[in-house]
């Protein structure tokens, strides 16, 4: 299984801007008189520059992933720093409209622990309708959002460890049931810092390290 991404085009960005403006009118949002707004030429120039930045950022991402290595055949992640991983870039491929796509091997979810009932039910419905497919790795942000809800639901299970705020992350990491909040926090931060150090050693600086950009495998 593969996943792909590409940069927004100028026409797509322009359409988004037009839809946002229409939505503001529909919702009766107070806007400045047109005479005080940027001219249409200025707006198009800004969108053109935004489109160029999108294409540039995508090219930088491609360069960095190629610099970190492509991984071996059959692998879906590139191992760096003694066990840390980054997605493996398969290549860059144009579509019928000559838009370049970065194509990656799917980073799969590897946790064998029990999931929340809501997630398990959703996956069961998906499997029954489209057949078995590998589940993509979840981001740290998604897991922390579930932890925020789940820690309240765990109060009646009788296990004091199940009540800490990183319990879902603990299960996702495959850690022992007796692990504490501190154990999970230590493991997460140590793995993150090791990865950042290895990436920095390759003369790459990640400018947007945040939970939504971190996959848990």
């Amino acid at each position: 299984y593969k996943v792909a991404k590409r940069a927004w085009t100028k026409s797509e960005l322009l359409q988004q801007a037009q839809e946002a403006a229409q939505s503001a009118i529909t919702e009766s949002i107070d806007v400045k008189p047109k005479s005080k707004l940027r001219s249409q030429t200025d707006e198009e120039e800004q969108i053109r520059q935004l489109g160029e930045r999108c294409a540039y950022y995508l090219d930088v991402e491609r360069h960095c992933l190629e610099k970190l290595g492509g991984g071996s055949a059959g692998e879906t992640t590139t191992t760096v720093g003694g066990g840390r991983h980054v997605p493996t870039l398969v290549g860059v491929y144009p579509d019928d409209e000559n838009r370049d796509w970065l194509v990656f091997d799917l980073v799969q979810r590897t946790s064998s622990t029990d999931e929340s009932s809501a997630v398990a039910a959703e996956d069961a419905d998906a499997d029954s309708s489209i057949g078995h497919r590998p589940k993509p790795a979840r981001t740290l942000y998604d897991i922390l959002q579930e932890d925020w809800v789940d820690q309240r639901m765990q109060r009646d299970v009788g296990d004091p460890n199940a009540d800490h705020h990183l319990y879902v992350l603990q299960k996702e990491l495959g850690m022992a049931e007796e692990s504490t909040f501190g154990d999970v926090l230590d493991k997460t931060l140590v793995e993150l810092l090791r990865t950042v150090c290895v990436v920095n050693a390759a003369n790459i600086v990640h400018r947007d390290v945040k939970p939504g950009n971190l996959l848990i495998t």
Side-chain angles (χ1 to χ4, degrees):
Y1 287 89
K2 312 295 182 188
V3 293
K5 63 187 297 186
R6 65 170 174 82
W8 293 108
T9 65
K10 177 183 175 181
S11 60
E12 289 170 333
L13 293 169
L14 182 59
Q15 181 180 356
Q16 292 176 22
Q18 292 171 343
E19 290 175 350
Q22 183 61 40
S23 177
I25 294 174
T26 302
E27 296 175 9
S28 299
I29 296 176
D30 185 27
V31 296
K32 296 179 181 179
K34 190 171 183 179
S35 59
K36 295 184 180 180
L37 295 176
R38 295 187 308 270
S39 69
Q40 183 176 356
T41 302
D42 290 340
E43 184 175 6
E44 289 181 353
E45 175 62 17
Q46 184 181 44
I47 290 174
R48 184 192 65 78
Q49 293 177 6
L50 180 58
E52 290 180 350
R53 286 200 301 273
C54 288
Y56 171 75
Y57 292 149
L58 192 73
D59 190 57
V60 169
E61 183 174 353
R62 174 199 57 76
H63 172 74
C64 292
L65 289 170
E66 289 177 345
K67 194 172 183 180
L68 287 169
S72 304
E75 292 183 344
T76 58
T77 52
T78 298
T79 302
V80 293
R84 271 49 63 191
H85 300 86
V86 295
T88 296
L89 178 66
V90 176
V92 182
Y93 301 92
D95 59 18
D96 293 339
E97 299 181 27
N98 203 33
R99 300 172 300 189
D100 286 339
W101 290 78
L102 297 188
V103 180
F104 306 84
D105 285 323
L106 174 67
V107 179
Q108 299 185 27
R109 188 178 182 184
T110 57
S111 173
S112 59
T113 55
D114 293 334
E115 305 174 28
S116 69
S117 57
V119 174
E122 180 180 343
D123 289 342
D125 290 341
D127 287 344
S128 63
S129 61
I130 61 177
H132 176 70
R133 291 183 180 179
K135 298 177 177 65
R138 294 198 290 169
T139 67
L140 179 59
Y141 175 83
D142 291 334
I143 295 170
L144 293 179
Q145 289 292 101
E146 186 177 336
D147 252 320
W148 178 249
V149 175
D150 190 71
Q151 61 91 17
R152 294 193 181 96
M153 300 171 61
Q154 293 290 337
R155 297 190 186 281
D156 298 328
V157 300
D159 182 357
N161 286 328
D163 197 33
H164 71 64
H165 288 271
L166 297 178
Y167 184 61
V168 176
L169 178 58
Q170 171 186 321
K171 294 189 292 182
E172 199 73 27
L173 290 170
M175 299 179 66
E177 188 66 25
E178 61 270 17
S179 300
T180 64
F181 175 90
D183 295 332
V184 181
L185 189 61
D186 286 347
K187 179 177 178 62
T188 303
L189 291 178
V190 167
E191 293 293 327
L192 171 60
L193 292 174
R194 283 176 176 168
T195 302
V196 170
C197 285
V198 171
V199 171
N200 287 351
N203 292 323
I204 297 172
V205 178
H206 197 304
R207 299 173 59 189
D208 197 19
V209 177
K210 61 183 180 182
N213 285 337
L214 301 173
L215 295 176
I216 302 299
T217 62

